[in-house]
Amino acid sequence: MIEHSTLSLENTNKSYTMSKKRIFICLFIALMACSTLFGQTGYTPSPCNLEARERFEESRFGIFIHWGLYSMFAQGEWYLNNKINKDEYAKAASAFYPTLFDAEEWVRAIKRSGAKYVTFTTRHHDGFSMYHTETSDYNIVDATPFGRDVLAELADACREEGLKLHLYYSILDWIRPDYPVGRTGLHTGRVPAPDYDSYFDFMKTQMHELLTGYGDIDAVWLDGYWDHDSDSIPFDWRMEEFYDYIHELQPCCLIGNNHHIAPLEGEDFQMFERDLPGENTAGLSGQEISRLPLEMCQTMNGMWGYKIADLNYKSTADLIKLLVRAASKGSNLLLNIGPQANGELPAQAIERLNGIGEWMDVYGETIYGSKAGLVEQQSWGVSTTKGDKLFLHVLEDVERITVTLPRKPIRVVDYITGQPIPCRQLNGGVVQMEIHRPAGTVDYVVEVEFAATTE
């Protein structure tokens, strides 16, 4: 129990913090208004959008769900692109009956992992909608014997467990004739009749359904912009218009677009596919890092959608290290799971969710609400920052580390035991620390505390 005096002080501190937040938001809006007066027009985030950005950054960990008609073939989410006829592919809908789907069980498993939000694929490139849409019968309610709106059930489960819901939405389509064909989906058997005005209206209608029928949505995760990156004449996606429409429907909703370029006007967070910001080892995310909130997405195994032969799951230890490295760069980790056609999350995925959750139960303080580390990535590991504390995440099995600290600390201790870490002052702010890493430790954390700074 909390003492009444402590509770009173805590409430006072919270009120002061909230007042600072309100002042910041008001100042931001005032500055944006001034820029408009001086001829600089552009997107002005709403106050609740700015709060959503802050909440998004504090969460640091989310789970991606790639689940759709493609799961029936167990060959990954791009199966239709492999010269498969769209009409033959569509026949799988008549057998799509995920008897083991349980939204509450999914969400409980995700919550145990320590993740704070779920990003669900409402429609992928194959054009099949995983919610009840009025735009066509090609959706999980009308086209399958299952007949249930899985998105509605997932939204309810997320609200019940306190997880935020984000919606993935493909802006490209491999089956609609009015979609102007890009560089993918060239052999699906459709007869192209490109009409972007028609297709754009279709997307707006679906977005209206998604943002008015499923409660508060914290973010929209767009994908497919890259489908026209090889056009000889740049394709006008009319994204700013689309973004305005989304923000009109839900002003607080964040927008991100997996386009692999610098953020466009109207976007609220920046994403990096299969890469930590600034690394681009997969060759997909070479764009410059913006000042927007950041998120990197990665698969547990090799595919986004379920593939029966893909059992090459990353170890729990490697996934924890990825989460830590993402946080050290001021980025969230969106970790993907591809559910099976029967509605189950793969056993390997559940095992890793549980392992990450056990680690987060102990070390979550060093991740949630953290900022990029004051100490850049080193051969031994990385760092995260939170208030007046610096957390050194020693990810390699070493006996000592050398660190250049920004100022003199008042405390350097083992994060778990609280025991002082033996340190030796070298030149300037360079400190050598002795590391006594217990066997089997994934991430040995050194907690460095500095004196509080006056503002």
Side-chain angles (χ1 to χ4, degrees), residues 185-334:
L186 303 180
H187 305 287
T188 64
R190 62 179 159 181
V191 179
D195 183 348
Y196 193 63
D197 287 339
S198 169
Y199 184 72
F200 190 77
D201 287 343
F202 157 73
M203 290 200 299
K204 286 179 65 177
T205 300
Q206 287 212 315
M207 195 55 61
H208 186 273
E209 293 172 335
L210 292 169
L211 296 182
T212 60
Y214 298 91
D216 292 337
I217 302 301
D218 261 42
V220 168
W221 206 102
L222 302 174
D223 192 18
Y225 190 98
W226 38 261
D227 193 43
H228 283 278
D229 60 11
S230 299
D231 290 9
S232 57
I233 300 174
F235 183 73
D236 183 9
W237 285 97
R238 293 160 58 185
M239 282 293 97
E240 288 187 32
E241 183 181 346
F242 197 46
Y243 297 166
D244 286 345
Y245 186 67
I246 292 172
H247 285 133
E248 179 184 325
L249 293 170
Q250 290 207 27
C252 309
C253 182
L254 305 180
I255 297 174
N257 196 327
N258 187 37
H259 44 45
H260 310 150
I261 58 177
L264 304 174
E265 187 75 24
E267 294 174 8
D268 303 298
F269 68 99
Q270 183 181 14
M271 58 186 68
F272 299 82
E273 183 177 355
R274 292 187 184 272
D275 268 309
L276 292 168
E279 293 194 0
N280 196 31
T281 56
L284 293 171
S285 300
Q287 69 268 33
E288 291 185 6
I289 301 172
S290 73
R291 294 186 178 181
L292 293 175
L294 309 177
E295 178 189 75
M296 74 88 66
C297 59
Q298 181 57 283
T299 56
M300 277 195 182
N301 48 358
M303 301 293 291
W304 300 100
Y306 179 67
K307 185 175 181 179
I308 193 169
D310 186 4
L311 299 178
N312 188 29
Y313 279 75
K314 300 169 183 66
S315 70
T316 300
D318 284 345
L319 293 175
I320 290 170
K321 290 179 181 180
L322 181 62
L323 173 59
V324 172
R325 291 184 187 280
S328 78
K329 291 179 176 288
S331 172
N332 291 7
L333 171 63
L334 182 62

Side-chain angles (χ1 to χ4, degrees), residues 37-58:
L37 287 174
F38 286 98
Q40 297 178 2
T41 60
Y43 165 53
T44 302
S46 67
C48 69
N49 184 283
L50 295 176
E51 291 176 359
R53 293 183 187 189
E54 185 173 349
R55 183 169 60 246
F56 176 77
E57 285 193 289
E58 289 175 349

